[in-house]
Amino acid sequence: MATADTKTVADLMVERLHDWGVDRVYGYPGDGNNPFLLALRRSQAAPAFIQAKHEEAAAFMAVAEAKYGRQVGVVTSTQGPGAVHLLNGLYDAKLDSAAVVALVAQQHTSVLGSDYQQEIDLQTLFHDVASPYIQTVASPDAVPMVLDRAFRSALTYLQPAVVIVPHDLQQAQAPEIGQEHGQIVTAPGWSRGRTLPRERDIEAASEIIEAGDRVAILAGRGMRDAQRELIELAEHLGAGVTMSLLGKPYVDESHSLVAGTMGHLGTTAAARVLQDCDTLIIVGSNDPWTEFYPAPGQARAVQIDIDPSMLGNRYPIEVGIVSDAAAALEALRGRLHARPGSQWRRDVETHVANWHEISRLRAAVEASPLNPELVVRELADRIPPDAQLAIDVGSCVYHYARQVRMATTVEAHLSSTLASMGCGVPYGIGAKEVAPDRPVVVLAGDGAMQMLGNNELVTVASRWPSWPDPRFVVVVLHNRDLAEVSWEQREFEAQPRFEVSQQLPAFDFAGYAELLGLRGIRIDDPSRIPSALDEAFASDRPVVVEAITDRDVPLLPPFPHVDEKLDAIRGALGEEGAAGARARDLLDTYVRIEMEHR
């Protein structure tokens, strides 16, 4: 332990992290952050250090800490390449509004500006991703103040903050900070309080909603603490509820008015509710899929958000309410007349019921060898109510949005707005570190696993013996294709799939798991799916379930939006020969199911 005479700035940094209640620091070592890492070793009250296998993954883990734990995620890296590798995870935090603080090393102050080894302009590098707060510490006296401001910025703006600390400054003796000129004494601590709506905004919004006949609600993650109030308002108005991808975990999809996720990967029920509504209430959402909103002018709109800068950001609203979602929704319900048994309510319930049948029938479509929708549907039935779910990016997100209807007690997260492949296993690790006594489920494609997930299974293998609950189930949809992009080539470009860019090399995911001391289960028979998943959740160690799925199962936008694109998709598949013919048969099957249940 450092004494008063030997205490360094790095020791002071560790103390400040402790004062902020930081439990873990994710990262990777290098010469630049060695003083900080060794200060972690020396301290008896230091946060735990979780070593990732790549700085990008470490940043994703810090984002997961923020999302699952609702606290600041902290990540550290060395200078140069280590700092560059952080960018993808930090942009994930920026675009999904997650509070992350990055502690980044820099070369010695004496060599800055000399093109020294691993010297890059870190202020410029992080300027966009951490625009609310980025600071290079120039003096030992400034360390507590800069860290305090970084944490308060991250929590206030829900954006990354970056603190750059040169190597020699980390090694410097810790200062005694008093009241001398040029010294600033600050304290760790932050509180948001509660924001209540203005009465005149509630009144104006109520007039708009009352005038409409067909009310739709678009719920984002900003309503996660207003789940009861949102459903009560929907029932009061007979309103259809749709969700952004980030809002999906917080809305009970078993409710007859809940139409599911909106957007390109959303449900047909959500698409029809938004297409047919005349009034839209946006609650805590900044979903970018604007082509799936009501057409401008079709619906009068009200928006509720805690951040005034979000009002009118995606759709032309008439009234914006700056407020905690629960308070605003409660106030609105008290002013609006109930609409029991309305025709719109009956229409919404019909759309929802039809969609539930469509999704069931899609999962039942025979594929070679496995239909990925069936795998995910069976997985959803087995997710424990106290689980934490991490979803990687790719075709698996479509199946998550359409086939997973889970309890709202399940925390589920993914890289939504950035949509970065490779986040799944790092997110799962972060979730497990936040709550090691809860089971974790990771859903990923083989492309994302080959990109980053396989590396971080090594981290899982090293960490799991310390977890009280060893359940960490990774379900890999293995089709040897970058399926989402293959279908995008057909849909958006009206071109056949480009084999060279899309095909993935073979990889034995189950065998690899066994090599790491984990459990590996391979499924290529539909009848084996239930028992294999049951085995995975009963295992005494983390499990990789490798499901061999069919790359030709369609990934389509919801009806009716896909109608105008079907000819282009069919034409592209026609240029793919025999393989395209098979995919076209599956496409036609999906279309027939939809047409029979409109």
Side-chain angles (χ1 to χ4, degrees), residues 28 85 92 129 197 320 364 393 422 529 538:
Y28 201 80
H85 289 160
D92 182 35
V129 76
V393 169
I529 295 173

Side-chain angles (χ1 to χ4, degrees), residues 232-247:
E232 286 179 351
L233 180 64
E235 291 176 337
H236 191 71
L237 298 174
V241 180
T242 68
M243 298 89 76
S244 70
L245 198 55
L246 290 175

Side-chain angles (χ1 to χ4, degrees), residues 479-483 485-487 489-490 495-504 551-552 572-573 576 579:
N479 61 10
R480 297 194 60 188
D481 187 58
L482 296 171
V485 177
S486 292
W487 284 96
Q489 289 176 353
R490 296 156 177 153
Q495 295 290 320
R497 171 182 175 274
F498 183 33
E499 180 81 9
V500 175
S501 75
Q502 299 311 107
Q503 184 173 358
L504 290 170
R551 76 179 192 187
D552 291 328
L573 290 171
E576 295 181 26

Side-chain angles (χ1 to χ4, degrees), residues 382-450:
R382 288 163 175 79
I383 295 175
D386 63 337
Q388 299 182 99
L389 174 61
I391 307 97
D392 216 304
V393 169
S395 59
C396 59
V397 182
Y398 285 74
H399 308 318
Y400 159 68
R402 295 169 176 176
Q403 294 293 350
V404 176
R405 291 194 288 274
M406 61 202 171
T408 55
T409 55
V410 176
E411 282 282 345
H413 295 287
L414 75 165
S415 174
S416 178
T417 313
L418 183 64
S420 178
M421 287 175 63
C423 67
V425 176
Y427 265 37
I429 293 169
K432 197 67 171 180
E433 295 296 340
V434 166
D437 57 343
R438 295 175 64 178
V440 164
V441 180
V442 177
L443 178 62
D446 48 351
M449 291 298 294
Q450 291 185 21

